[in-house]
DNA sequence: AGTAATTTGTTCGTATGTATC
DNA sequence: AGATACATACGAACAAATTAC
């Protein structure tokens, strides 16, 4: 089985679209990794890679043990 | 960068030297695969091959999900 | 107040596909 | 053909702080 586009890229594209359309709203939480895992039937590894992509694009930011949220990482946080 | 010596052998040599000099001390942890990946800009595959070499030489031992440590594998481990 | 569930982070093991030397 | 090297993908288990009840 082989696709030109890696799974994590495909998932990133889907999430990117959900953000674009407002399905995932600003500062709202992106579903937990385990939820996305089940929803898309991919490994957590793949979910994390996808989110990593979005993070690099500044579309989301992640807070350890809290979750990932839509939007750029706030300047001040602790 | 061309060399007759495989990358994993080169990396093994570097780690071997770090052990020899005490940069990596007995029973201390060797950096995680992902860290070495970034530090040396090689694939995880290459890192693992390098460590595999050291393991075969009895210079390090690896514990699943815990890490790789300097020294021969202890007789008793749980 | 206290305990269980949640959630991201970490880490090694394994397998597969592609490309190159 | 075989060894080397990289990228992708899944798995499994534990850590540790936060959140929920």
């Amino acid at each position: 089985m082989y696709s030109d586009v890696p799974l994590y890229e495909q998932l990133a594209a889907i999430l990117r679209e959900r953000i674009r359309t407002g399905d995932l709203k600003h500062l709202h939480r992106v579903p937990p990794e385990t939820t996305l895992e089940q929803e898309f039937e991919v490994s957590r590894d793949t979910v994390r890679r996808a989110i990593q992509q979005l993070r690099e694009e500044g579309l989301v930011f992640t807070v350890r043990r809290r979750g990932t949220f839509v939007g750029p990482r706030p300047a001040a946080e602790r």
Side-chain angles (χ1 to χ4, degrees), chain A residues 59-75:
Chain A
L59 288 176
V60 302
F61 64 97
T62 299
V63 182
R64 187 175 182 146
R65 294 177 193 111
R66 281 213 168 79
T68 295
F69 305 86
V70 180
R73 180 176 291 279

Side-chain angles (χ1 to χ4, degrees), chain A residues 18-19 21-30 59 69-71:
Chain A
R18 285 191 182 178
I19 291 171
T21 63
D23 189 8
L24 287 175
K25 300 187 201 321
H26 188 61
L27 292 185
H28 281 214
R29 204 174 79 149
V30 173
L59 288 176
F69 305 86
V70 180

Side-chain angles (χ1 to χ4, degrees), chain A residues 7-9 11 33-34 36-37 41-53 55:
Chain A
L7 271 182
Y8 73 91
E9 288 279 11
L11 178 52
E33 295 169 358
T34 46
L36 295 174
E37 227 186 293
E41 295 182 285
V42 294
S43 70
R44 194 177 157 211
D45 181 80
T46 298
V47 171
R48 286 177 65 75
R49 276 170 189 261
I51 290 176
Q52 168 65 24
Q53 286 267 313
R55 221 173 0 240

